[in-house]
Amino acid sequence: KDLVDLVDLHILGTGEEYSELFAKYSNYKNVYFHGYVQNEETRYYYEIADIYIQVSNMEAFPLAVLDALCYGLPVILSRIPAHIDISKNGECALLVDPKIEDIKNAILMLINDKSLRETLSMKALLRVQDFSHEKSKKKYLELFEDLIKPDIG
């Protein structure tokens, strides 16, 4: 079977490519375009997903990736600084060049390797703990304390 027969693809959000993608792929039986989705509605899509893919060329801090990690989803990310950082250099995600063949191979790897999916899922849940309120508060307090320490020199 071809990849297109193995997966359902849900595209959320809008952007420069949305109209072009919609015109090209909206007639596929297993490609769904949802457009802009309110934050409270995204939960449904994370819950039904088996894999999360974000292969953007640039991101500041990818909150949607963090959300996917919270749901324990195995993720495929483009090899850009923000994704490398949030995935701990690929420890909890598959990092790919944003080329169709690389993305397709990563999807097939996850479809065919249950152990890899489970490992990435477990590591996703561990990684997201690094962004908890408590850990963030502790880091800010440490930074503040370092800033106000008198220089003894």
Side-chain angles (χ1 to χ4, degrees), residues 120-152:
L120 287 176
S121 179
M122 179 194 66
K123 288 183 176 185
L125 293 170
L126 290 173
R127 175 62 172 146
V128 81
Q129 292 175 15
D130 291 339
F131 298 94
S132 72
H133 176 73
E134 285 303 313
K135 282 201 177 182
S136 296
K137 183 172 81 173
K138 183 180 177 191
K139 286 178 185 176
Y140 279 117
L141 284 173
E142 289 170 0
L143 175 63
F144 180 71
E145 288 170 359
D146 286 346
L147 289 171
I148 63 170
K149 264 188 214 168
D151 266 343
I152 301 173

Side-chain angles (χ1 to χ4, degrees), residues 59-111:
E59 290 286 335
F61 187 80
L63 288 175
V65 173
L66 197 56
D67 289 343
L69 295 175
C70 285
Y71 281 89
L73 289 172
V75 297
I76 298 170
L77 304 171
S78 50
R79 194 174 277 112
I80 60 172
H83 290 163
I84 291 168
D85 182 50
I86 204 167
S87 71
K88 286 183 90 169
N89 202 26
E91 185 179 303
C92 65
L94 296 180
L95 295 174
V96 298
D97 290 323
K99 299 179 204 160
I100 294 298
E101 203 57 37
D102 289 354
I103 299 164
K104 181 179 177 180
N105 289 337
I107 294 169
L108 288 171
M109 190 183 313
L110 288 173
I111 288 172

